Amino acid sequence: MAGDQAASAQQTRGVPRVDDRRVLNGIFWILRSGALWRDLPERYGPRTTYYKRFVRWRKVGVWDRMMDAITAAHDGDIR
């Protein structure tokens, strides 16, 4: 019973988390275009979400792990 209440409380608090795939698409748009974060198109939503997630993922090594996985998948032959 207590576990059910905790789970339902977590689901209803605050603003719903933006889907990681959507955030990746927005971050990749910034990286490809060379634009500033403030120029992120409105279709992606609040730019602060994307910037904060980018910085948080950088700090915990997500980008390094992604590049390592991509490199390994292509036997080190990436450009």
Side-chain angles (χ1 to χ4, degrees):
M1 178 82 168
D4 293 334
Q5 290 174 344
S8 65
Q10 288 175 349
Q11 294 170 355
T12 59
R13 288 189 183 167
V15 177
R17 180 179 169 88
V18 178
D19 179 62
D20 286 340
R21 183 174 295 223
R22 183 174 175 187
V23 172
L24 276 173
N25 285 335
I27 291 170
F28 290 153
W29 186 91
I30 290 290
L31 297 175
R32 269 193 323 271
S33 69
L36 301 174
W37 289 104
R38 69 175 175 237
D39 297 328
L40 184 69
E42 288 183 18
R43 69 178 178 261
Y44 291 107
R47 65 180 180 251
T48 54
T49 299
Y50 294 79
Y51 175 75
K52 287 178 182 179
R53 193 91 53 99
F54 175 80
V55 170
R56 188 177 322 132
W57 287 348
R58 185 182 64 209
K59 287 180 181 177
V60 297
V62 169
W63 297 110
D64 291 334
R65 291 193 307 270
M66 283 176 51
M67 289 306 298
D68 290 345
I70 292 167
T71 302
H74 294 278
D75 297 324
D77 187 26
I78 59 172
R79 299 162 212 224

